[in-house]
Structures are given as C-alpha cells and as structure tokens.
C-alpha cells in the first residue's frame, strides 16, 4: 500500500515565503524521512525553482495553465513548472478556480509531461467529475471549512466517504486527498481511515511557529 | 424511444433577435409539429420572456448562473429563467465557459427547479466529466468546428462515438447532443445513428434566409 | 440644473422580480412624478423587456457586454438592451466586474447607440479612470459598504468629495452618483450636497415592505 | 532626458525559457551597456528569481495580482515579485487582462513597494484611463497588431500620437511605451519620435536566432 501523503500549500502567505519557505520545506523533508509519509510542499511560483533545487522534497506548483508554450503572457505552463523541477501541480484550487475545459487541459498536460496532478474540488459531485479526468489525486475541500480550523474529517466525514465512493465508482485509480481545516494527527488519521490517501493543508502548518512539530503531530497516528 | 431533439441557439446574432427571433421560433414550432422532432430555441436573455410567452416551443436560456436569488447584479438566476417560462438552459457554452464548481451548481439548481440542463463540452474527457453531474443533456462541440460549416458528425464521427461510450460508462441516463458545424439532414442523421439524441446548432438555421426550410432539411432523414 | 437621480438596482433579489418588480417600478414612476426626481430602475435581464414596456420610467440593464451582435452565446449586447427598450446600462458593478478594455468597449457601444452608461467604481482612483472614458455617470461604491446599511455619504464623505474633484479634473461633463449603503433622505441630501447628481442603491428599496414610502423618504430633503 | 527603454516580454515562449532566457538576458545587458538604452526583460514567473539573480538587467514580472500576502493560492503577489528581485511588473497585458479594480490595486501595490508598473492598454481611451492611475508606464498595444510583425509605429502612428496627447492631458508624469509588432530600429525610432519613451516587444527578439543582433538593430537609430 502506498505511503500516506501530506501536501502543504504555502498559498501567498508571508509565513510561507523566503526564509520561512525554506524552514517549512526542511521540516517536510525531515518529518517525511522520520515517518515514511510523503510530505510535499507547494510554494508560490516565483519560489518554485529555488525550493525544488535546494530541498529534496516533492514540490508542487499551486497553479498551472494547461497551455502549450507560446504567446501566453502571465501564464504558467506545465513546461515551465517541469523545468523548475516540480513533481506536479495543484489544479483548480478554490482560490484559483478554472473552467472544466482548463482543468482537463491542465491534467492532460501534466500527465503528458510525466507529472502529478492534484485537482481540488468542492463537493462530492465535482469530485466525481474531476476523477473522470484521471488526475493523480482529487482533493476534496468544502469551501466553507478552508482556513476555518474546523477539520472536514470531523465536521463532515460523510462528504469524504461519499467522495471516496464516487471516485471509486467512476475511476478507481484516482487517489483522494482530504482538505479543509486539517490541523492534527487525529484529522489525518480519520482522513486515512475514511479511505483517502492523505491530506492537503495550508495555514495550520504554514502559520505555525514551529512547522516541524505540527507536521510530527500530523503523522503521529499513522 | 424519445423523439430526436434539435436546439437552435440564437447566440447574440442580429439575425436571431427581434422579428427574426419570432420567425425562427415559429418555424421551430411548425417543423416540430410536422415532423415529431422536438425543436427548441435558445434566445438572448432579454428576449427569453417574450419568446416563451408567444410561441409554444421548448425555450432554453443561453446561460444561467447557478446562484440563489440575492445580491448578484448582472447575473441570471435559475429562478429568473424559470419565471420567464423557459424549459431549461444551456450551461458552459464554449462562448461562456464556467468553472467546474459553477457548472455543478447550475445543473443542480436547474434540476432542483424541475428544469432541463444542456451542458456543453469540448472533448470526450470533459463530456464524461459533465455526465457525472447528471444533466439532462451533454452537448459535445469540438471548438474548432463551431460556426465552421464543417459538421462534426462528418469531420470527426469518432469523437461522437467515444463521447457516447464515455457517457454511457459513467451515467447512462444522460442524453448526448452533437454540436458544431451541423447544417443538413445528413449531419443530423449521422449524429442520431452514432447514438446521440440530436443536435445543438446555431448559424446554419439562424443566419439562413429561410430558417423553416433549413429546419425541414435537418429533420428530413429521421 | 439637472434633476437629482435615483437608480434602483433590483440585483437578482427575489424581492425585485415578478410582481415585486412591477410594484417597485410603479413606485418609481409615482414618486418620480410627485417629486420631480428622476427615479430609474435596473431589473434582471430577463425582465428588462417587460418592465420597459409596462412602466414609463427610465430602465437600465444591470450589465452589458460591449460586443457587437454575433457569436456571443450567453452575452448581453447593447443592441439587445436597446431593443428591449432600456435607456442605458450599469457597467462594471462590483458584483460583475469587467476588464478595463471591456468597460471602455461597453461605454463606447452604449454611447454609440445613444444610450446612458453608469460605470461603477470602488475608489477615487478608479473613479477618475472611469471618467476618462466619458460615461454618462460614474457611480462610486466602496465595496465594504455595499448592502451594509451604513451610508457612504455618512461613513466616508471624503471619498465622495475626492471622487467628485477627481472627475471634475479629468472630465467635468461626467456626472457622479453616490452608491453603497444609501437608505434615507438624509443620505441622499448629503450625496447631493457633496456634488453628486444622486444615488445608486438596491436593498434599502428593493427589500422594503413598502418601496414607495422608502422612495418618498429618499427624495424628501431634496 | 531619460534613456530610451526597451522591455522584452518572454511570454511563455519556449524560446524565452531555460538557456534561451539566459541568452536573451545576457544580450539585453550587453546591448544596454553598449548603447545606453535601458533594456529590460520579463521572464515567466518561475524563472523570475533565477534571472534576477544571475543577470544585471532590469527584470519585470509578466503579471502581478494586487493582493496583500495571504490566502491566495496560485496568485503572484507584489511581495513575491519584489523578493524575487524584480524591478517591476507588467500589468493587464492583453493575454492576461484584469478588471479596472485589479489594475488599480496592482499599480498601487507596486508603487507602495517602490517598484515600477507597466500597464498595457489597447487603445487611446484605455490609455488615458490607465494614466490616471499613475503607473510608471502605459504601454499601448493595439491587439490586432500584437505578434503580427506589422509595427504599430508604422501601421497606425496616429494612435500613438493621440495616446501620448491623452496621457499628457490627464497625467503628464506617466511615460508611454509603444507596443505591438515592433521589430526594427526604424520602428523604435518612430516610436520615440512620436513622444514615447520606448517599446514593449516580444517575438521579434525572443524568437530570433540571434537576439543580440536584433537588439542592436532596435537601438541603432536612437
């Protein structure tokens, strides 16, 4: 069975940039090594190259435009993200929603480049829809719980269960991540027990005074 | 077996507004009555109420925002479209793409109001994704053929076949429409023979000097 | 000197549609007749034609796409809004923001059709920018006060003063409206005393049990 | 009088990434040093940090979101662009249009960070509107000429003249750049003679077999 997965989204938080980005990436590597969990990080695009080259952790872009290289000023291509050294990308995060056609093009471009895709969704129905596109992961994040400190795995475990079932029905190869409000080892354990591969989270690690100790807590019950 | 379906999208064409909108709606009713095909029309939102009240044909909005009534200036709610007398709405047309979350919310709101939803998609993968959302129809329209005069049913029948198969695999209750470049009875016949319920089209009818005769040709081989 | 102006935005409120839309349009006509103020209404697009044809009041669309008639499914052209009988349109409302290029195209299209444009803006700088485009009105609405019940004319009169000054500096022919939180005759009086031509408002009239009495209060100190 | 300015936008061109990005940045530095012109580069965001740190040339982001650091996954903050070492950013490029409110917020955030802003516009009216926001530069690029190889300075010098006049009327401190189709020293000379500070260009340099020789030609008549 594959190792549990934790992806830490740095968003555009000040606490996730510069020296703090380094500190969190280093913590991800250390706690990943200690625990056997896969702990990835998703820094802002301007720091993607730097983090990829300095830390031996899985690195994800926060967003990618599913276009081929060309006249797309201000866009981020899969090509650029790959050259920067990333393993994959978040796609359709709730703070950067895409059209269905763009999600499909992004997943296809990432897969074509041998990279991972993590498609974020907001409910059971969109999770099933995203799963038909064959991304590596679908990360289900009920928007009302993002950044709330209230874990989806405790507040609404049914949405996780139903999402896992929906994904298995349409495309059983797709792995599911639990997002929104995840902040403790117990949240992660519930998420894994409900059939998901792990979690996508942000503020509870990125804004923590000591990210390493939060990460240790997150993997403590696995 | 259900009757074949033809939906005529008036877009924002001048030839599909005012007196011309009336003429096409009347032709849709007449040819529908003669042939037994279901011929619907999708006028611009400002003419929706008028067309619904003057012509006994299925009328669809061209776009709907899947939000509940509220502080949404410049949006078109399902509530408003229903009050206007429409039977349903196009959703995610290639000229008005939506996020996945918006498509899901629109389909859910239409279904909740007892209305039909016609989700437009651009390829086989997005067609399967849309079908998981349980709309009434998915209309597959390869963007490069829209308005081209080259019928998808002739230029790329495989995409229709694969889309029908993909929809049946994930949600067999969803009906498929063929879009893009449809202009003759032969196009419609091929579309139906490939397993779709009918066609979504625009310019070949709306811009025709005599829309009724084009509609008669479209249903002639059914 | 021109009469003071009140534009009532029905948004997508349930209380601003159907029979309620009629009631508010009738109140606008009656109170306008009694007071000499120009009281316009901005209904949802699906009701634009109906309200224009049944009530002798200035009617505005809530949104317009600045494109010529053509292949623009789900868009609302100036042509369509004019055919429906509207006098003009809101442009760039905070709930339906547009790119700068779209705002300019919309104002130009409305002006070219002999119609009025009401460009909504969020602060002094964008108000000046909008004024260079020569719309009929710029309506300054600090977003944090919209729907708050706290009137911008009381909470932040300086933003109104500075906006009026900025507009006069770049394009003195453009009239300014005060928006956000307007709910009483005193708010309107302050708005006019600060040099604006009137107000753009929504919930305080649309959601009122008796819209006519609110409108009478709004014009009471003019 | 300030030196003429050339900004080379790498877009998402393959020929403007990786080793080619280095080659063009080096050419910009060399030709800038030889000629006294200010030659800046605008690489894709994932290469911004690398180019800033390896080449002593003015570097611009291609796009920036005018938000403060925070929960904005997939966005690019001014803070991030500054930390990467950039001098400023393009704003509202035709391939990445923004709302008026976003343009204003981006220019304000860049100015507040002591950085330069280059607001792209599509015609004379939007150029004047952008100038009221007090960016460092407005770059006027008629969209139909972008990437065309037909220089705006030859095809439509009047639009440049009128834009310069409009900017001087509303905000004479703002500098104007000429964009779209620029490819030779003659184009640049005309642009400067028409009163602009220089040019914004892309494909003619980025896709050239020898970018340095194109840059030398561009500055040859200054």
């Amino acid at each position: 069975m594959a190792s549990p997965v934790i992806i830490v989204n740095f968003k555009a938080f000040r606490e996730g940039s510069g020296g703090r980005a380094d500190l969190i990436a280093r913590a991800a590597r250390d706690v990943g090594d200690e625990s056997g969990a896969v702990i990835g990080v998703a820094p802002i695009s301007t720091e993607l190259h730097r983090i990829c080259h300095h830390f031996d952790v899985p690195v994800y872009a926060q967003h990618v435009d599913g276009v081929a290289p060309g006249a797309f000023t201000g866009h981020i291509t899969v090509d650029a993200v790959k050259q920067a050294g990333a393993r994959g990308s978040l796609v359709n995060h709730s703070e950067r929603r895409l059209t269905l056609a763009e999600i499909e093009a992004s997943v296809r471009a990432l897969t074509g480049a041998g990279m991972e895709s993590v498609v974020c969704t907001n409910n059971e129905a969109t999770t099933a829809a995203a799963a038909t596109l064959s991304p590596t992961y679908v990360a289900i994040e009920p928007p009302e719980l993002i950044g709330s400190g209230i874990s989806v795995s405790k507040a609404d475990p049914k949405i996780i269960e139903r999402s896992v079932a929906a994904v298995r029905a349409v495309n059983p190869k797709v792995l599911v991540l639990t997002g929104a409000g995840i902040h403790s080892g117990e949240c992660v354990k519930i998420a894994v027990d409900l059939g998901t591969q792990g979690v996508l989270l942000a503020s509870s690690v990125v804004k923590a005074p000591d990210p390493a100790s939060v990460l240790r807590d997150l993997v403590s019950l696995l």
Side-chain angles (χ1 to χ4, degrees), chain A:
Chain A
M1 199 197 116
S3 300
V5 171
I6 292 174
I7 299 178
V8 182
N9 176 7
F10 293 3
K11 299 195 174 185
F13 288 134
R14 201 184 299 269
E15 299 90 339
S17 74
R20 282 283 301 186
D22 294 0
L23 181 142
I24 303 168
R26 199 174 298 117
R29 185 200 57 198
D30 292 348
V31 179
D33 286 351
E34 293 163 21
S35 66
V38 175
I39 305 183
V41 298
I44 201 165
S45 64
T46 49
E47 304 210 305
L48 197 63
H49 180 271
R50 194 172 65 74
I51 297 293
C52 289
H53 285 257
H54 291 182
F55 299 95
D56 185 24
V57 286
V59 180
Y60 296 84
Q62 292 179 11
H63 163 75
V64 77
D65 293 290
V67 293
F72 296 104
T73 301
H75 291 62
I76 302 176
T77 58
V78 166
D79 216 63
V81 161
K82 186 170 191 176
Q83 274 194 39
R87 175 187 289 206
S89 183
L90 307 186
V91 173
N92 193 45
H93 189 275
S94 68
E95 292 154 8
R96 192 76 167 83
R97 286 290 190 231
L98 301 177
T99 68
L100 174 58
E102 289 169 336
I103 297 169
E104 190 273 332
S106 298
V107 170
R108 186 158 33 90
L110 286 162
T111 304
M115 298 174 76
E116 294 184 2
S117 49
V118 184
V119 179
C120 301
T121 54
N122 58 316
N123 60 24
E124 177 193 343
T126 53
T127 300
T132 65
L133 304 175
S134 298
T136 316
Y137 300 98
V138 181
I140 159 87
E141 300 197 296
E144 65 280 12
L145 298 178
I146 295 177
S148 69
I150 301 168
S151 162
V152 62
S153 55
K154 285 179 157 184
D156 194 359
K158 293 273 180 233
I159 198 178
I160 305 300
E161 279 178 11
R162 287 196 309 260
S163 295
V164 168
V167 169
R168 287 194 181 147
V170 300
N171 199 343
K173 286 185 219 156
V174 175
L175 302 171
V176 181
L177 297 180
T178 300
I182 303 296
H183 60 277
S184 72
E186 199 188 350
C187 307
V188 176
K189 184 174 188 321
I190 296 173
V192 170
D193 288 348
L194 292 170
T196 70
Q197 194 62 31
V199 299
L200 172 63
L201 46 66
S203 51
S204 62
V205 170
V206 179
K207 297 191 153 190
D210 181 1
S213 74
V214 176
L215 286 170
R216 279 193 188 95
D217 179 44
L218 289 168
V219 299
S220 61
L221 302 180
L222 295 177

